[in-house]
Amino acid sequence: MEIIDKLSFDEKGLIPAIIQDTASKEVLMMAYMNREALEKTLKTKRTWFYSRSRQKLWNKGETSGNYQTVKKIFYDCDGDTLLIEVIPAGNACHTGKRTCFFQEIFKDKDTEEKKEIIRLLDQRIRERKK
Amino acid sequence: MEIIDKLSFDEKGLIPAIIQDTASKEVLMMAYMNREALEKTLKTKRTWFYSRSRQKLWNKGETSGNYQTVKKIFYDCDGDTLLIEVIPAGNACHTGKRTCFFQEIFKDKDTEEKKEIIRLLDQRIRERKK
């Protein structure tokens, strides 16, 4: 597939893939794909990854049933990272959590949530005016 | 810092950091941090990364002015990826786009957006009942 040739796989033939819930926009997990995993993902519309520890392809959900149905795939400006929007059939994390990112290192105490909502509304209004 | 010792930096001493807009939840970019970059990020509340090509630390926004103010930092279940929620002062991408992930490989034509909104509402309602 021509578009895959634009991607920069690393020296091990891998590219990181960020998995995001297409509805909630929650980041669920990050895993690595090789060319074959990406091709299988595109063909089956379900996520396939390359396990660096087990050194083989794996289909997310094949054991747990928590498949991820692929809705959109983006690549970044320098072509070395994928962002994949999915509908998750269940939890992403093997620990039973919805997302793998459930452990916090830091949280700003000075939350500026109201300011943030205003900023976001402003951004959306500007976009609609275009 | 004790919590940093729980993280798995790779053989080059790096850990990938996914940068997400804390309000819109849009994924803006992914870049790599070494221990020093993470420490500087925690200290300054602005994102610092390690450039693999230039082999040095860089502070996002130092040239463009598009700083990212850090609101939350998470690490994933196996401690080898960071998720950082930020307030971006401007565009994340050096191309002038808001996000680095503006190029699409795939988009599912059978959008099930209504189903998705219902699923999400259902999820939120269940969470509130807990």
Side-chain angles (χ1 to χ4, degrees):
Chain A
M1 205 184 163
E2 216 174 86
I3 210 158
I4 297 183
D5 295 328
K6 291 185 183 172
L7 300 176
S8 295
F9 293 88
D10 70 10
E11 66 278 9
K12 292 172 187 159
L14 302 178
I15 189 166
I18 302 163
I19 308 300
Q20 184 177 34
D21 186 313
T22 191
S24 70
K25 304 303 176 197
E26 189 171 31
V27 175
L28 302 174
M29 55 183 281
M30 198 187 81
Y32 293 81
M33 290 185 173
N34 60 9
R35 193 185 174 102
E36 191 186 352
L38 178 55
E39 284 169 349
K40 274 181 173 282
T41 297
L42 285 163
K43 193 176 169 189
T44 63
K45 314 268 171 73
R46 286 186 170 176
T47 50
W48 284 80
F49 303 103
Y50 181 81
S51 166
R52 294 172 301 167
S53 54
R54 290 179 288 142
Q55 302 198 326
K56 62 170 192 171
L57 289 191
W58 61 287
N59 179 207
K60 173 73 191 165
E62 67 191 337
T63 310
S64 63
N66 296 339
Y67 291 100
Q68 296 169 333
T69 303
V70 175
K71 304 306 284 183
K72 290 178 191 169
I73 304 178
F74 298 92
Y75 60 103
D76 72 345
C77 51
D78 47 8
D80 64 1
T81 309
L82 298 174
L83 174 64
I84 303 187
E85 291 190 18
V86 302
I87 300 176
N91 298 319
C93 191
H94 72 284
T95 63
K97 305 271 185 185
R98 200 170 64 222
T99 166
C100 293
F101 295 96
F102 58 88
Q103 299 166 104
E104 207 170 71
I105 296 181
F106 167 78
K107 185 178 184 174
D108 186 6
K109 284 163 194 158
D110 305 325
T111 49
E112 298 174 75
E113 285 187 11
K114 282 180 193 168
K115 276 191 196 166
E116 269 310 281
I117 288 164
I118 290 164
R119 182 181 70 80
L120 196 63
L121 279 172
D122 182 62
Q123 191 186 78
R124 290 285 176 271
I125 290 163
R126 281 165 198 266
E127 281 172 6
R128 290 198 182 174
K129 277 189 183 160
K130 276 179 193 169
Chain B
M1 201 183 165
E2 217 175 84
I3 209 157
I4 296 183
D5 295 327
K6 291 185 184 172
L7 301 176
S8 295
F9 293 88
D10 70 10
E11 66 278 9
K12 291 172 188 159
L14 301 178
I15 189 166
I18 302 163
I19 308 300
Q20 185 177 34
D21 186 313
T22 191
S24 71
K25 304 303 176 198
E26 190 171 32
V27 175
L28 301 174
M29 56 183 282
M30 198 187 82
Y32 293 82
M33 291 184 171
N34 60 8
R35 194 185 173 101
E36 191 186 353
L38 178 55
E39 284 168 349
K40 274 179 172 282
T41 297
L42 285 163
K43 193 177 169 191
T44 64
K45 313 270 171 71
R46 286 185 170 178
T47 51
W48 285 80
F49 303 103
Y50 181 81
S51 167
R52 296 173 299 167
S53 56
R54 290 178 288 141
Q55 301 197 324
K56 63 171 192 173
L57 290 191
W58 62 287
N59 179 208
K60 173 73 191 167
E62 66 192 336
T63 310
S64 63
N66 297 338
Y67 291 100
Q68 296 169 334
T69 303
V70 175
K71 304 305 284 181
K72 291 178 190 169
I73 304 180
F74 299 92
Y75 61 102
D76 71 345
C77 51
D78 47 8
D80 64 1
T81 309
L82 298 174
L83 174 64
I84 303 185
E85 291 189 18
V86 303
I87 300 177
N91 299 318
C93 191
H94 71 286
T95 63
K97 304 272 185 182
R98 198 168 68 222
T99 167
C100 293
F101 295 95
F102 58 87
Q103 300 166 105
E104 207 170 70
I105 295 181
F106 167 78
K107 185 178 185 175
D108 186 6
K109 284 164 195 158
D110 305 324
T111 50
E112 298 175 74
E113 286 185 11
K114 283 182 192 168
K115 275 190 196 168
E116 269 310 282
I117 288 165
I118 290 164
R119 180 180 71 80
L120 196 62
L121 279 171
D122 181 63
Q123 192 185 77
R124 290 286 176 269
I125 290 164
R126 280 165 200 266
E127 281 171 7
R128 291 198 180 173
K129 278 187 183 162
K130 277 179 194 168

